[in-house]
Amino acid sequence: MKDKLRQIESSHHFWYALGISFLFFLLRLPSLFEPFWYGDEGIYETLGLAISRGRVLYTQIWDNKPPLLYYTYALFHGDQFLVRLLSLFVGISCILIFFALCQRIFNAQKRSTFIATATFAILFGLPFIEGNIANAENFMLLPIITAAYIIYTYPKKDGRIRQLLIAGFLLGIAFLYKIVGIFDFAALFVFLLITASPNSFTAKAIFTYVTKFLQTASLFTLGFVLPFLISVLYFLSQGALGAYIQAVFLSTVGYVGYGNTFIIPQGLLISKLLVLAAFVLYLFSKRQSVSRQTLFISLWVAFSLFNSFFSQRPYTHYVLVLLPSFSLVIGSIFITKNRFRIVSLLTGILLSFTSLFFFNHWSVQKTVGYYTNFMSFITGEKSVTEYEAFFDRRVPQDMELVHYLNTHGKDNKTLFIWGNAAQIYYQTGTLPPGRFTVAYHIAGLKNHEEETARALKDNPSDFTIVFKNAPNLTFPLTKGRQVLTTREATIYERIN
């Protein structure tokens, strides 16, 4: 045992993994001390608090993502610091497994392994593509990368069934964080499909191939479907199955359709799907001349790129799902095969340009400012207000609202917010009177407006915050007397 430990400690890979993990920790450290500024996190925090207090997801508190992100927040009662701390350690785990994957893909090519891992760790650690925010992508990368490692090392002489089931199950977990996890499942499924295909398509070869692959596909798919089936049984037991299906799968059709109209509704999405299919068929036709390594990276990049552009919305954190395969492309540039190096270089440039051009990433200047802002704060050069204003100028005003609510009224006060600042619910320890936490989940949807109006009538709130940039109210709202006005919002207190 001692000899084994000495061997590990003397390994360059051990010290590299330790060093790159520590660098990632330093890059992510400021994220633990960010104020409540990111709108989506405010929703997750409020849902996490609501679930921990016994509300049933989707029927009593609502958002349109799969359930695991909300239950992750619920584990910590919505606490932003603890969830981000968990995200930090999940990130370190991602790096270590990705490092192991790189070692298997690049074999003895240390330079490629080290560069690919560094690319992944640094970009994941920086706020440049919102790795600092505890979004679904941050948590789903761990099961995705682990499944990728299992599939790339498949088959082994022993444990084939277990490998396929575990890999599929992990991707099913990713799917329950965000439905786009299905594209990573598809990428690995196609990889298994192509690598198992025969060199020649005689009747006997086809029969053997289909027979063997059906077993592989069924096991892999069974593993993937199991978490979803468990979630179905759970929400069925809660009397929330219909609401679950409606929120996660049916209400997102319009969301996916955003920006995808081209000649016909979803025309652009269909075009992207056709391009992806053509690329897969091309790789299939070249399967005998393309290495396993190239095939794996190419398929993962293609499906991840499709994933990032699935809804055509330029949200920065969508790039996170592209990060593992992109990092493998960067590592591939340093492989000795000249042809593959050129292709990898061109692919890396294209992916970089596409991501920088299309997505609303943090600028280099703001990324540098993120760390100088943190250093100025911890050294006392900046006040709390100045520090918070760096993230969003509205944060200090939100904190003024929070301070007022936390110092006025009864301890078990109730609150309704007509705006898009759900984090104020969490910061004041309150929950919305109905299911919805933000105005954009209510406004313009007749049934949501009517439901909210009923909730307010049945449970009048002690305090109401109306934000000036919120949509016009289309249902009656008893405001009460005005007690505080800021540049962004007004607080009303109900008069009994």
Side-chain angles (χ1 to χ4, degrees):
M1 184 65 178
K2 289 182 178 179
D3 292 338
K4 186 67 175 176
L5 288 174
R6 288 194 193 98
Q7 184 180 353
I8 293 172
E9 289 174 358
S10 64
S11 167
H12 291 151
H13 289 88
F14 170 80
W15 291 109
Y16 179 83
L18 186 65
I20 203 68
S21 297
F22 183 65
L23 174 61
F24 175 83
F25 174 82
L26 293 177
L27 292 174
R28 277 285 189 90
L29 183 62
S31 71
L32 303 180
F33 303 95
E34 290 182 23
F36 296 88
W37 69 277
Y38 193 82
D40 283 356
E41 274 189 314
I43 296 173
Y44 310 151
E45 290 153 7
T46 302
L47 265 70
L49 180 64
I51 293 168
S52 68
R53 288 184 179 178
R55 285 205 190 183
V56 178
L57 183 59
Y58 303 120
T59 57
Q60 296 177 336
I61 194 74
W62 190 91
D63 196 19
N64 59 1
K65 292 183 177 66
L68 281 188
L69 180 62
Y70 310 124
Y71 283 101
T72 299
Y73 273 81
L75 283 174
F76 305 100
H77 306 283
D79 190 290
Q80 177 175 287
F81 174 85
L82 292 177
V83 175
R84 287 198 176 188
L85 183 63
L86 174 65
S87 177
L88 189 155
F89 284 109
V90 167
I92 291 175
S93 301
C94 286
I95 290 166
L96 295 176
I97 296 172
F98 184 75
F99 183 53
L101 175 62
C102 289
Q103 288 177 282
R104 298 301 295 265
I105 290 176
F106 298 124
N107 296 321
Q109 298 280 349
K110 274 189 180 181
R111 184 169 58 169
S112 292
T113 296
F114 289 174
I115 289 173
T117 306
T119 301
F120 177 78
I122 292 170
L123 289 178
F124 197 22
L126 291 170
F128 188 69
I129 52 174
E130 293 187 353
N132 56 313
I133 308 298
N135 268 309
E137 287 82 0
N138 298 63
F139 297 105
M140 67 190 291
L141 276 182
L142 180 58
I144 287 171
I145 295 170
T146 306
Y149 177 85
I150 292 171
I151 293 301
Y152 189 77
T153 57
Y154 176 89
K156 290 182 178 178
K157 290 182 179 179
D158 301 312
R160 292 182 181 182
I161 293 176
R162 185 171 62 250
Q163 276 183 279
L164 289 169
L165 285 173
I166 292 173
F169 190 86
L170 288 169
L171 292 168
I173 294 294
F175 177 80
L176 288 184
Y177 271 105
K178 201 167 184 179
I179 59 175
V180 293
I182 196 169
F183 298 122
D184 293 277
F185 169 78
L188 297 178
F189 186 95
V190 172
F191 175 72
L192 288 172
L193 175 70
I194 295 177
T195 53
S197 63
N199 294 330
S200 60
F201 285 95
T202 63
K204 183 179 179 181
I206 292 174
F207 178 79
T208 304
Y209 166 62
V210 170
T211 303
K212 288 185 177 180
F213 186 73
L214 279 176
Q215 182 184 18
T216 299
S218 59
L219 289 168
F220 190 43
T221 304
L222 175 62
F224 178 74
V225 172
L226 272 175
F228 174 68
L229 293 178
I230 292 169
S231 75
V232 166
L233 293 174
Y234 171 76
F235 285 109
L236 182 63
S237 71
Q238 297 293 305
L241 180 59
Y244 169 42
I245 300 299
Q246 173 64 35
V248 177
F249 301 103
L250 302 182
S251 70
T252 55
V253 173
Y255 186 88
V256 172
Y258 176 86
N260 270 322
T261 299
F262 176 65
I263 303 175
I264 60 172
Q266 307 292 359
L268 187 57
L269 181 62
I270 294 169
S271 300
K272 289 181 286 189
L273 188 60
L274 290 174
V275 171
L276 177 62
F279 182 71
V280 169
L281 288 173
Y282 171 77
L283 287 175
F284 183 81
S285 68
K286 298 291 184 181
R287 67 192 182 282
Q288 295 182 38
S289 57
V290 172
S291 68
R292 180 182 175 87
Q293 171 197 76
T294 305
L295 179 65
F296 183 83
I297 296 173
S298 300
L299 284 171
W300 203 5
V301 166
F303 279 90
S304 297
L305 197 59
F306 181 83
N307 183 344
S308 297
F309 285 93
F310 182 56
S311 72
Q312 207 64 21
R313 291 175 181 263
Y315 296 148
T316 308
H317 54 272
Y318 287 5
V319 184
L320 289 173
V321 295
L322 182 59
L323 189 53
S325 56
F326 170 78
S327 301
L328 290 174
V329 169
I330 298 302
S332 300
I333 294 171
F334 299 90
I335 292 178
T336 54
K337 296 177 181 178
N338 292 331
R339 184 179 175 185
F340 191 52
R341 179 184 295 184
I342 293 170
V343 172
S344 300
L345 177 60
L346 293 174
T347 305
I349 292 171
L350 178 62
L351 292 175
S352 301
F353 177 78
T354 301
S355 298
L356 292 174
F357 177 78
F358 184 80
F359 293 97
N360 299 326
H361 57 86
W362 287 46
S363 66
V364 174
Q365 182 180 3
K366 189 176 180 181
T367 301
V368 173
Y370 175 82
Y371 294 100
T372 57
N373 181 57
F374 177 70
M375 292 303 298
S376 297
F377 174 63
I378 63 174
T379 56
E381 294 179 18
K382 275 190 174 184
S383 66
V384 172
T385 301
E386 291 171 325
Y387 172 71
E388 291 176 341
F390 168 84
F391 296 93
D392 193 313
R393 63 179 179 81
R394 293 170 293 188
V395 174
Q397 294 177 68
D398 287 351
M399 293 307 297
E400 187 179 349
L401 300 172
V402 170
H403 176 74
Y404 181 88
L405 291 169
N406 284 338
T407 55
H408 291 78
K410 55 188 179 182
D411 291 339
N412 60 340
K413 66 178 74 68
T414 55
L415 173 67
F416 174 68
I417 300 171
W418 183 246
N420 300 318
Q423 61 270 20
I424 293 177
Y425 284 121
Y426 173 76
Q427 290 173 279
T428 56
T430 60
L431 294 174
R435 288 193 297 165
F436 308 108
T437 60
V438 286
Y440 66 81
H441 284 163
I442 303 171
L445 299 169
K446 188 176 180 181
N447 58 328
H448 287 193
E449 290 176 350
E450 292 174 348
E451 182 180 333
T452 302
R454 287 194 300 271
L456 287 169
K457 183 179 179 181
D458 295 340
N459 301 289
S461 296
D462 298 319
F463 291 93
T464 300
I465 302 178
V466 178
F467 278 83
K468 294 177 181 177
N469 64 351
N472 292 328
L473 278 163
T474 57
F475 54 89
L477 181 63
T478 304
K479 296 180 180 178
R481 66 186 178 95
Q482 181 178 320
V483 293
L484 179 69
T485 298
T486 69
R487 190 169 62 190
E488 301 290 340
T490 299
I491 298 181
Y492 299 89
E493 184 176 11
R494 180 166 60 92
I495 301 172
N496 295 322

